[in-house]
Amino acid sequence: MNDLVEGLNERVRALRYGVRRVSPTPLLVRAGIFLSVLVGLLVAYPAQALIPRALLALTVVALLPAIGPRRVWPTFAALVTVGGWLLATLGFDRPPALWRLLAVATLLYLAHTLAALAALLPYDAVVDPDLVLRWLARAGGVVLAAAVLGIVLAWLGGVGGDRGSQAATVAGLLVAVGLSGLLAWLLRRR
């Protein structure tokens, strides 16, 4: 029995030591993950589905990738967000507004990129704030380029009536092929 108490005391001391070593930047990155996932979930889900019990569940879903960014939780949170979007558009007949789509996509990408950064940072890392700012600026550039491209493709989808959606589909496929080629070229260049 004495060994059990001593082992428990040792774990408590190790936990206290670990908590004292935590630095603010990794905690802020993880708070950013939590906030971006939670806001993304709130934007994606319909207002009718946001009852107190569901809000508690969505808060837990948003907390999981912040706690374990190296695990499956960021993907799980993204799937729950997409499920909320589908529930809102198909189950509650909410028309898919462009601003909402761009907001959900932006928040999903922000949560993804912050989870990637948090996976690299130990809790006790001393991080230059410029690193996080450059990381966020790069993510902002990606989001801005994707938003502009998405708006242009949505506009192309409306041009020409029924034939416009074919043009948008072809343009989207060309963009996908072009980006795949660019990524392949970048990987070979390494």
Side-chain angles (χ1 to χ4, degrees):
M1 181 73 168
N2 205 11
D3 291 337
L4 180 68
V5 172
E6 186 62 35
L8 186 61
N9 283 337
E10 183 64 32
R11 286 182 183 238
V12 169
R13 270 182 277 183
L15 180 66
R16 267 194 262 155
Y17 176 74
V19 167
R20 274 188 248 131
R21 290 185 48 116
V22 172
S23 62
T25 304
L27 285 181
L28 285 174
V29 170
R30 289 169 188 262
I33 295 169
F34 172 73
L35 286 176
S36 60
V37 171
L38 185 62
V39 172
L41 288 166
L42 293 176
V43 171
Y45 274 84
Q48 298 90 341
L50 296 177
I51 59 174
R53 189 172 287 169
L55 283 174
L56 179 64
L58 293 179
T59 304
V60 169
V61 168
L63 191 61
L64 290 173
I67 292 172
R70 290 187 197 117
R71 308 255 186 251
V72 71
W73 301 123
T75 303
F76 175 72
L79 290 174
V80 171
T81 304
V82 171
W85 175 266
L86 291 174
L87 176 71
T89 56
L90 300 176
F92 286 88
D93 293 328
R94 182 172 72 186
L98 183 61
W99 73 267
R100 190 170 307 208
L101 179 63
L102 291 176
V104 169
T106 298
L107 291 165
L108 280 172
Y109 182 74
L110 185 61
H112 169 74
T113 192
L114 285 175
L117 178 61
L120 297 174
L121 295 176
Y123 281 106
D124 60 350
V126 177
V127 180
D128 185 14
D130 283 344
L131 175 109
V132 177
L133 291 176
R134 284 192 315 258
W135 190 282
L136 290 174
R138 192 174 309 129
V142 169
V143 165
L144 180 64
V148 168
L149 188 62
I151 290 170
V152 168
L153 288 176
W155 175 77
L156 280 175
V159 173
D162 291 338
R163 294 186 63 205
S165 63
Q166 286 180 337
T169 302
V170 170
L173 286 173
L174 289 175
V175 167
V177 168
L179 286 176
S180 299
L182 176 66
L183 288 174
W185 176 73
L186 287 173
L187 283 175
R188 257 187 268 129
R189 197 176 80 170
R190 261 197 217 181

